[in-house]
Amino acid sequence: MAIFEWSDRFSVKVREIDEQHEELVGMINRLHEAMVANKGRELQQEIVNEMVAYTNFHFATEEKYMRSFGFAGYFEHKREHEQFAAEAAELKARVDRGGLVLTLEVMTLLKEWLQNHILGTDMQYSHLFNANGLV
Ligand code: FEO
């Protein structure tokens, strides 16, 4: 069973952003499956690298729209992105060094961060993005 089940409650009502979030959810699930199946460090490393790169791409997409539409919570939102990006980079470095085989604890932290961020932070721009024609 997937560690993160996508559902409509995570939708920010912007197709492009929802698709990016679903991609990230898929990566978390693949990483979890690789961990459960004990697939080894190389595959975990590959997925972590992909996830870190895609996360940065996704954050840049949201930040571009927030700046374009003059979103009032831009800096606070960006700070959350930066904190997570720093933690993800640290995770990647630990996997690259071979010092960390992913654990359920790490997977749960990733999942919970994304769930809480989408529901608590990303949702805040939903109306503004819609009002500016992004649907
Ligand atoms: Fe979807 Fe603010 O990250």
PDB file of all heavy atoms in Angstrom, residues 17 21 24 58-59 62 66 77 81 113-114 117-118 121-122 125, ligand 1:
ATOM      1  N   ILE A  17      -0.100  22.820 -10.999  1.00  0.00           N
ATOM      2  CA  ILE A  17       0.469  22.595  -9.665  1.00  0.00           C
ATOM      3  C   ILE A  17       0.032  21.237  -9.110  1.00  0.00           C
ATOM      4  O   ILE A  17       0.842  20.510  -8.518  1.00  0.00           O
ATOM      5  CB  ILE A  17       0.039  23.722  -8.688  1.00  0.00           C
ATOM      6  CG1 ILE A  17       0.421  25.099  -9.230  1.00  0.00           C
ATOM      7  CG2 ILE A  17       0.619  23.492  -7.300  1.00  0.00           C
ATOM      8  CD1 ILE A  17       1.867  25.426  -9.205  1.00  0.00           C
ATOM      9  N   HIS A  21       2.429  18.265  -7.793  1.00  0.00           N
ATOM     10  CA  HIS A  21       2.294  17.637  -6.468  1.00  0.00           C
ATOM     11  C   HIS A  21       2.113  16.127  -6.608  1.00  0.00           C
ATOM     12  O   HIS A  21       2.703  15.347  -5.848  1.00  0.00           O
ATOM     13  CB  HIS A  21       1.099  18.242  -5.707  1.00  0.00           C
ATOM     14  CG  HIS A  21       1.369  19.608  -5.153  1.00  0.00           C
ATOM     15  ND1 HIS A  21       0.388  20.549  -4.947  1.00  0.00           N
ATOM     16  CD2 HIS A  21       2.530  20.198  -4.752  1.00  0.00           C
ATOM     17  CE1 HIS A  21       0.928  21.651  -4.436  1.00  0.00           C
ATOM     18  NE2 HIS A  21       2.222  21.467  -4.317  1.00  0.00           N
ATOM     19  N   LEU A  24       5.356  14.489  -7.193  1.00  0.00           N
ATOM     20  CA  LEU A  24       6.135  14.370  -5.954  1.00  0.00           C
ATOM     21  C   LEU A  24       5.601  13.236  -5.066  1.00  0.00           C
ATOM     22  O   LEU A  24       6.383  12.485  -4.473  1.00  0.00           O
ATOM     23  CB  LEU A  24       6.104  15.693  -5.173  1.00  0.00           C
ATOM     24  CG  LEU A  24       6.961  16.817  -5.766  1.00  0.00           C
ATOM     25  CD1 LEU A  24       6.670  18.137  -5.062  1.00  0.00           C
ATOM     26  CD2 LEU A  24       8.446  16.464  -5.656  1.00  0.00           C
ATOM     27  N   HIS A  58       9.608  22.377  -8.801  1.00  0.00           N
ATOM     28  CA  HIS A  58       8.247  22.670  -8.354  1.00  0.00           C
ATOM     29  C   HIS A  58       8.201  23.964  -7.524  1.00  0.00           C
ATOM     30  O   HIS A  58       7.337  24.817  -7.735  1.00  0.00           O
ATOM     31  CB  HIS A  58       7.706  21.499  -7.529  1.00  0.00           C
ATOM     32  CG  HIS A  58       6.464  21.850  -6.777  1.00  0.00           C
ATOM     33  ND1 HIS A  58       5.287  22.182  -7.426  1.00  0.00           N
ATOM     34  CD2 HIS A  58       6.206  21.970  -5.444  1.00  0.00           C
ATOM     35  CE1 HIS A  58       4.370  22.487  -6.520  1.00  0.00           C
ATOM     36  NE2 HIS A  58       4.903  22.374  -5.317  1.00  0.00           N
ATOM     37  N   PHE A  59       9.129  24.117  -6.591  1.00  0.00           N
ATOM     38  CA  PHE A  59       9.156  25.328  -5.772  1.00  0.00           C
ATOM     39  C   PHE A  59       9.338  26.561  -6.659  1.00  0.00           C
ATOM     40  O   PHE A  59       8.699  27.591  -6.456  1.00  0.00           O
ATOM     41  CB  PHE A  59      10.294  25.261  -4.744  1.00  0.00           C
ATOM     42  CG  PHE A  59      10.055  24.287  -3.606  1.00  0.00           C
ATOM     43  CD1 PHE A  59      11.098  23.948  -2.750  1.00  0.00           C
ATOM     44  CD2 PHE A  59       8.808  23.731  -3.379  1.00  0.00           C
ATOM     45  CE1 PHE A  59      10.889  23.069  -1.690  1.00  0.00           C
ATOM     46  CE2 PHE A  59       8.591  22.841  -2.324  1.00  0.00           C
ATOM     47  CZ  PHE A  59       9.649  22.510  -1.484  1.00  0.00           C
ATOM     48  N   GLU A  62       5.980  27.531  -8.312  1.00  0.00           N
ATOM     49  CA  GLU A  62       5.062  28.237  -7.409  1.00  0.00           C
ATOM     50  C   GLU A  62       5.560  29.654  -7.122  1.00  0.00           C
ATOM     51  O   GLU A  62       4.778  30.613  -7.122  1.00  0.00           O
ATOM     52  CB  GLU A  62       4.943  27.494  -6.070  1.00  0.00           C
ATOM     53  CG  GLU A  62       4.105  26.243  -6.126  1.00  0.00           C
ATOM     54  CD  GLU A  62       3.913  25.619  -4.756  1.00  0.00           C
ATOM     55  OE1 GLU A  62       4.516  26.087  -3.767  1.00  0.00           O
ATOM     56  OE2 GLU A  62       3.151  24.644  -4.674  1.00  0.00           O
ATOM     57  N   MET A  66       3.681  33.214  -7.589  1.00  0.00           N
ATOM     58  CA  MET A  66       3.426  34.063  -6.419  1.00  0.00           C
ATOM     59  C   MET A  66       3.975  35.475  -6.653  1.00  0.00           C
ATOM     60  O   MET A  66       3.338  36.464  -6.306  1.00  0.00           O
ATOM     61  CB  MET A  66       4.047  33.447  -5.156  1.00  0.00           C
ATOM     62  CG  MET A  66       3.263  32.281  -4.612  1.00  0.00           C
ATOM     63  SD  MET A  66       3.836  31.762  -2.967  1.00  0.00           S
ATOM     64  CE  MET A  66       5.097  30.603  -3.383  1.00  0.00           C
ATOM     65  N   HIS A  77       6.257  31.872   2.519  1.00  0.00           N
ATOM     66  CA  HIS A  77       6.130  30.616   1.765  1.00  0.00           C
ATOM     67  C   HIS A  77       7.508  30.185   1.230  1.00  0.00           C
ATOM     68  O   HIS A  77       7.907  29.028   1.346  1.00  0.00           O
ATOM     69  CB  HIS A  77       5.144  30.834   0.603  1.00  0.00           C
ATOM     70  CG  HIS A  77       4.649  29.564  -0.008  1.00  0.00           C
ATOM     71  ND1 HIS A  77       3.336  29.367  -0.362  1.00  0.00           N
ATOM     72  CD2 HIS A  77       5.294  28.422  -0.353  1.00  0.00           C
ATOM     73  CE1 HIS A  77       3.200  28.144  -0.876  1.00  0.00           C
ATOM     74  NE2 HIS A  77       4.382  27.568  -0.897  1.00  0.00           N
ATOM     75  N   HIS A  81       9.936  26.763   1.703  1.00  0.00           N
ATOM     76  CA  HIS A  81      10.578  26.020   0.608  1.00  0.00           C
ATOM     77  C   HIS A  81      12.079  25.884   0.863  1.00  0.00           C
ATOM     78  O   HIS A  81      12.659  24.812   0.679  1.00  0.00           O
ATOM     79  CB  HIS A  81      10.374  26.749  -0.727  1.00  0.00           C
ATOM     80  CG  HIS A  81       8.986  26.628  -1.283  1.00  0.00           C
ATOM     81  ND1 HIS A  81       8.579  27.337  -2.389  1.00  0.00           N
ATOM     82  CD2 HIS A  81       7.926  25.863  -0.902  1.00  0.00           C
ATOM     83  CE1 HIS A  81       7.323  27.016  -2.658  1.00  0.00           C
ATOM     84  NE2 HIS A  81       6.899  26.142  -1.778  1.00  0.00           N
ATOM     85  N   TRP A 113       5.623  16.286   5.748  1.00  0.00           N
ATOM     86  CA  TRP A 113       5.973  17.652   5.366  1.00  0.00           C
ATOM     87  C   TRP A 113       5.158  18.063   4.151  1.00  0.00           C
ATOM     88  O   TRP A 113       4.564  19.145   4.133  1.00  0.00           O
ATOM     89  CB  TRP A 113       7.466  17.802   5.062  1.00  0.00           C
ATOM     90  CG  TRP A 113       7.787  19.262   4.822  1.00  0.00           C
ATOM     91  CD1 TRP A 113       8.117  20.182   5.762  1.00  0.00           C
ATOM     92  CD2 TRP A 113       7.706  19.974   3.576  1.00  0.00           C
ATOM     93  NE1 TRP A 113       8.254  21.435   5.178  1.00  0.00           N
ATOM     94  CE2 TRP A 113       8.007  21.330   3.838  1.00  0.00           C
ATOM     95  CE3 TRP A 113       7.401  19.595   2.269  1.00  0.00           C
ATOM     96  CZ2 TRP A 113       8.026  22.315   2.848  1.00  0.00           C
ATOM     97  CZ3 TRP A 113       7.408  20.574   1.276  1.00  0.00           C
ATOM     98  CH2 TRP A 113       7.721  21.911   1.571  1.00  0.00           C
ATOM     99  N   LEU A 114       5.115  17.203   3.119  1.00  0.00           N
ATOM    100  CA  LEU A 114       4.408  17.572   1.886  1.00  0.00           C
ATOM    101  C   LEU A 114       2.909  17.730   2.143  1.00  0.00           C
ATOM    102  O   LEU A 114       2.295  18.703   1.680  1.00  0.00           O
ATOM    103  CB  LEU A 114       4.673  16.532   0.792  1.00  0.00           C
ATOM    104  CG  LEU A 114       4.107  16.888  -0.586  1.00  0.00           C
ATOM    105  CD1 LEU A 114       4.676  18.226  -1.088  1.00  0.00           C
ATOM    106  CD2 LEU A 114       4.411  15.790  -1.610  1.00  0.00           C
ATOM    107  N   HIS A 117       2.376  20.944   4.109  1.00  0.00           N
ATOM    108  CA  HIS A 117       2.698  22.122   3.307  1.00  0.00           C
ATOM    109  C   HIS A 117       1.599  22.396   2.271  1.00  0.00           C
ATOM    110  O   HIS A 117       1.185  23.542   2.091  1.00  0.00           O
ATOM    111  CB  HIS A 117       4.059  21.944   2.628  1.00  0.00           C
ATOM    112  CG  HIS A 117       4.486  23.139   1.847  1.00  0.00           C
ATOM    113  ND1 HIS A 117       5.003  24.291   2.425  1.00  0.00           N
ATOM    114  CD2 HIS A 117       4.446  23.389   0.517  1.00  0.00           C
ATOM    115  CE1 HIS A 117       5.257  25.178   1.490  1.00  0.00           C
ATOM    116  NE2 HIS A 117       4.931  24.656   0.314  1.00  0.00           N
ATOM    117  N   ILE A 118       1.128  21.350   1.617  1.00  0.00           N
ATOM    118  CA  ILE A 118       0.066  21.554   0.617  1.00  0.00           C
ATOM    119  C   ILE A 118      -1.195  22.071   1.304  1.00  0.00           C
ATOM    120  O   ILE A 118      -1.780  23.074   0.890  1.00  0.00           O
ATOM    121  CB  ILE A 118      -0.256  20.240  -0.149  1.00  0.00           C
ATOM    122  CG1 ILE A 118       0.914  19.834  -1.041  1.00  0.00           C
ATOM    123  CG2 ILE A 118      -1.520  20.412  -1.004  1.00  0.00           C
ATOM    124  CD1 ILE A 118       0.756  18.461  -1.702  1.00  0.00           C
ATOM    125  N   THR A 121      -0.147  25.560   3.579  1.00  0.00           N
ATOM    126  CA  THR A 121       0.571  26.690   2.986  1.00  0.00           C
ATOM    127  C   THR A 121       0.202  26.896   1.513  1.00  0.00           C
ATOM    128  O   THR A 121      -0.183  27.990   1.109  1.00  0.00           O
ATOM    129  CB  THR A 121       2.089  26.485   3.147  1.00  0.00           C
ATOM    130  OG1 THR A 121       2.381  26.276   4.538  1.00  0.00           O
ATOM    131  CG2 THR A 121       2.874  27.684   2.661  1.00  0.00           C
ATOM    132  N   ASP A 122       0.311  25.849   0.713  1.00  0.00           N
ATOM    133  CA  ASP A 122      -0.002  26.007  -0.715  1.00  0.00           C
ATOM    134  C   ASP A 122      -1.452  26.454  -0.935  1.00  0.00           C
ATOM    135  O   ASP A 122      -1.735  27.255  -1.826  1.00  0.00           O
ATOM    136  CB  ASP A 122       0.253  24.697  -1.483  1.00  0.00           C
ATOM    137  CG  ASP A 122       1.735  24.391  -1.643  1.00  0.00           C
ATOM    138  OD1 ASP A 122       2.555  25.286  -1.382  1.00  0.00           O
ATOM    139  OD2 ASP A 122       2.058  23.261  -2.042  1.00  0.00           O
ATOM    140  N   TYR A 125      -2.556  30.205  -1.649  1.00  0.00           N
ATOM    141  CA  TYR A 125      -2.483  30.964  -2.902  1.00  0.00           C
ATOM    142  C   TYR A 125      -3.560  30.543  -3.899  1.00  0.00           C
ATOM    143  O   TYR A 125      -3.688  31.143  -4.964  1.00  0.00           O
ATOM    144  CB  TYR A 125      -1.091  30.871  -3.539  1.00  0.00           C
ATOM    145  CG  TYR A 125      -0.625  29.465  -3.931  1.00  0.00           C
ATOM    146  CD1 TYR A 125      -1.373  28.672  -4.791  1.00  0.00           C
ATOM    147  CD2 TYR A 125       0.585  28.954  -3.465  1.00  0.00           C
ATOM    148  CE1 TYR A 125      -0.946  27.404  -5.160  1.00  0.00           C
ATOM    149  CE2 TYR A 125       1.013  27.686  -3.820  1.00  0.00           C
ATOM    150  CZ  TYR A 125       0.241  26.922  -4.672  1.00  0.00           C
ATOM    151  OH  TYR A 125       0.654  25.666  -5.025  1.00  0.00           O
TER     152      TYR A 125
HETATM  153 FE1  FEO B   1       3.807  22.916  -3.444  1.00  0.00          FE
HETATM  154 FE2  FEO B   1       4.832  25.367  -1.766  1.00  0.00          FE
HETATM  155  O1  FEO B   1       5.080  23.708  -2.460  1.00  0.00           O
END
